[in-house]
Amino acid sequence: MFINMSGDYQNNLPDPEVVARAAAEAPAPRVLEDYNQAIEILRDKKFTFREIAEWLNKKFNIQADHNSVWRAYTKHMDDYGAHLEARADEELERDEAIETAQCNGASEAVSHTPVQVIESAVKTAPPSKVKRKRQRRQ
């Protein structure tokens, strides 16, 4: 299928000055950064970025996810400050998840110490298939 792109096509386009005037009169869209004061208040109250995104959506129908809230909040920070905020948020989410699990009775005391490997088990373990294939090639 061939579309004829003749000079008539360009004549049907609006005058660029009309488009420019319409653009100048158009209201600027709200961006998430416009709500940084609210985001800061909620962060001070220990809201996670995920909870802030949910709060903005439920209360004011502002479409945001936790990543966009974090980006807006940390936009004027240096990389290290933004990193610290991300780490603090991860710790908040982890602590809340542990607390929720404990309240629901789904959590048991788990040791975070690494399990020691028993040397005899390592020495007597049968070789893997890959290791056996390598041994055959030699």
Side-chain angles (χ1 to χ4, degrees), residues 22-57:
E25 294 171 4
R30 289 273 181 203
V31 293
L32 199 52
E33 283 182 58
D34 292 344
Y35 306 106
N36 264 357
Q37 185 178 6
I39 293 170
E40 288 174 14
I41 291 169
L42 295 172
R43 284 296 288 172
D44 289 344
K45 292 182 176 187
K46 305 296 184 210
F47 275 59
T48 65
F49 293 117
R50 192 176 311 275
E51 291 169 332
I52 293 170
E54 290 172 8
W55 185 86
L56 290 169
N57 191 5

Side-chain angles (χ1 to χ4, degrees), residues 27-132:
R30 289 273 181 203
V31 293
L32 199 52
E33 283 182 58
D34 292 344
Y35 306 106
N36 264 357
Q37 185 178 6
I39 293 170
E40 288 174 14
I41 291 169
L42 295 172
R43 284 296 288 172
D44 289 344
K45 292 182 176 187
K46 305 296 184 210
F47 275 59
T48 65
F49 293 117
R50 192 176 311 275
E51 291 169 332
I52 293 170
E54 290 172 8
W55 185 86
L56 290 169
N57 191 5
K58 286 180 183 175
K59 288 266 191 191
F60 301 100
N61 201 27
I62 298 170
Q63 300 300 312
D65 65 4
H66 65 285
N67 289 319
S68 60
V69 172
W70 177 81
R71 280 192 304 273
Y73 182 72
T74 61
K75 183 173 184 172
H76 301 291
M77 292 181 180
D78 62 0
D79 289 344
Y80 184 68
H83 167 73
L84 292 177
E85 283 298 324
R87 177 181 256 172
D89 193 64
E90 289 170 1
E91 289 173 6
L92 273 173
E93 286 192 350
R94 184 199 64 225
D95 293 346
E96 287 178 1
I98 290 170
E99 189 176 311
T100 300
Q102 288 173 343
C103 288
N104 293 337
S107 172
E108 294 180 15
V110 177
S111 172
H112 293 288
T113 56
V115 176
Q116 292 182 348
V117 176
I118 301 170
E119 278 188 46
S120 61
V122 173
K123 289 179 183 175
T124 59
S128 67
K129 289 181 181 179
V130 174
K131 196 171 188 178
R132 285 188 294 230

